[in-house]
Amino acid sequence: MIAEAAALLAAAGVPSPRVDAELLAAHVAGLRRSQLLIADRPTFAQGLVFAGLVERRCTREPLQHLTGSAAFRYGELAVGPGVFVPRPETELLVDWALAHLPKGGIVIDACSGSGAVAHAIATERPDATVWAVEIDPDAFEWLESNLEGTGATPVLADATAAGTLAELDGTVDLVTANPPYVPFEIEVAPEVDFDPSGAVYADEAGLAVIQPLAVRAAGWLKPGGWFGFEHDDTHGKAAPAILGVSGFTETEDHDDLAGRPRFATGRLGLSP
C-alpha cells in the first residue's frame, strides 16, 4: 500500500513521495514511522482512511494539514487551515536566536503564526520571558494552543503598531520574526496555496511588513539588543540595508543549508 501510494504521490509531483506515504501510514496506524516495519497488517477501515489521505496529498494539500501536526526542533506543533505551516529552515533562525539570548532575557517573537519560534525558545530556554505576537485571529487560536504550558505569552495584535507591547519598549533583549515576505509575482510550491496568504505574501516587493517591523523592533529593544528575521531569497541585500537605516549595526545576512539568503540579523546601536 505504501509503495502504491508513493507512486501516486510521485506522479502528482510531491517532492518526497515515499517519506510522505510512510508518514501518512504511520499517522493512520498511530505509530512512529520507524515502527512501520513491525506493524500489523492494516484493517480495511485503516486502508480506506489511508487512501483518502493519499488522494488529498496528491492535490498537494500539505502533509502537516493531513496529520494535524508539524515537527519543529524538539517538539510537535498543532497546525491546520488558517495558520502557516512552519518550515525546517526556520530552525536556523532559532539556532541564531538562542546563541544571542542572554540568561533571563526578554524575547518578542513577532508575526508568530503557529508559535514555532516562540515555542522553541520558551521550551529550550525556560529562563527567558517570551512574548508571541500574532495579528490574525485564526492563526492566534493555533498559537494559543501551541504555547499552552510553555510559559510564553501569546498576544493578539499588530506587531508593527507603535502601541503593541509598548510597556516593554527599551527593555527587550531579542526580537525574532518570520513575517510575510514573498513578493506577489514569485512562483511558489502548490502547498503554499494552503497557507493563509496574509502570512506569505507582502506588497512592496515583499518588504511591506519588514520595513515597519524593523522600526518597531528598534523601539522594543534595549541598546545592544538583537533582531533577527526571515526574508525572501531575493532580499539578501535589501534586508540588511533596512536594518542599517533603522538603527541597527553589525548587520549580517545568513544563508540556509541550500546556500540561499534566508534571514538577516542586526544589533541595536549602543547609546553614545
Side-chain angles (χ1 to χ4, degrees):
M1 290 175 65
I2 289 173
E4 291 174 358
L8 290 172
L9 294 172
V14 173
S16 53
R18 179 75 189 196
V19 171
D20 283 25
E22 291 179 356
L23 289 172
L24 289 174
H27 171 68
V28 172
L31 302 171
R32 295 189 300 273
R33 182 183 168 203
S34 60
Q35 295 175 304
L36 287 174
L37 287 173
I38 57 171
D40 294 333
R41 180 180 295 276
T43 65
F44 180 75
Q46 287 176 324
L48 289 178
V49 172
F50 178 67
L53 292 175
V54 170
E55 183 177 355
R56 290 169 63 185
R57 185 68 184 104
C58 284
T59 70
R60 305 300 291 273
E61 186 173 348
L63 174 71
Q64 296 86 350
H65 282 197
L66 303 177
T67 63
S69 67
F72 190 81
R73 290 183 70 85
Y74 305 109
E76 289 280 339
L77 299 167
V79 296
V83 71
F84 182 81
V85 175
R87 272 53 171 180
E89 294 84 359
T90 301
E91 296 187 8
L92 298 175
L93 175 62
V94 176
D95 285 335
W96 171 87
L98 294 175
H100 290 79
L101 176 60
K103 185 173 178 59
I106 299 175
V107 181
I108 294 178
D109 180 43
C111 308
S112 195
S114 67
V117 173
H119 183 279
I121 294 175
T123 54
E124 295 179 45
R125 285 289 302 274
D127 59 289
T129 300
V130 181
W131 302 78
V133 182
E134 174 55 47
I135 190 174
D136 184 81
D138 293 330
F140 186 75
E141 291 186 14
W142 294 99
L143 175 67
E144 279 191 305
S145 175
N146 284 323
L147 294 186
E148 187 174 350
T150 66
T153 303
V155 179
L156 180 61
D158 181 356
T160 66
T164 297
L165 293 178
E167 66 274 18
L168 297 181
D169 282 3
T171 69
V172 176
D173 296 284
L174 176 71
V175 177
T176 57
N178 185 8
Y181 57 67
V182 177
F184 281 99
E185 66 274 13
I186 295 291
E187 185 177 347
V188 296
E191 285 82 357
V192 177
D193 291 336
F194 291 86
D195 286 318
S197 60
V200 177
Y201 300 99
D203 286 320
E204 298 175 31
L207 298 170
V209 177
I210 288 174
Q211 290 173 324
L213 187 58
V215 174
R216 188 67 197 101
W220 280 324
L221 289 166
K222 62 175 61 172
W226 292 90
F227 176 37
F229 64 93
E230 290 202 10
H231 59 70
D232 190 69
D233 59 15
T234 61
H235 298 154
K237 294 183 179 179
I242 289 172
L243 287 172
V245 300
S246 302
F248 291 89
T249 62
E250 301 180 43
T251 61
E252 184 179 358
D253 204 68
H254 306 258
D255 291 344
D256 61 18
L257 297 179
R260 296 168 299 197
R262 184 70 190 190
F263 67 98
T265 60
R267 192 178 194 186
L268 189 64
L270 296 169
S271 301

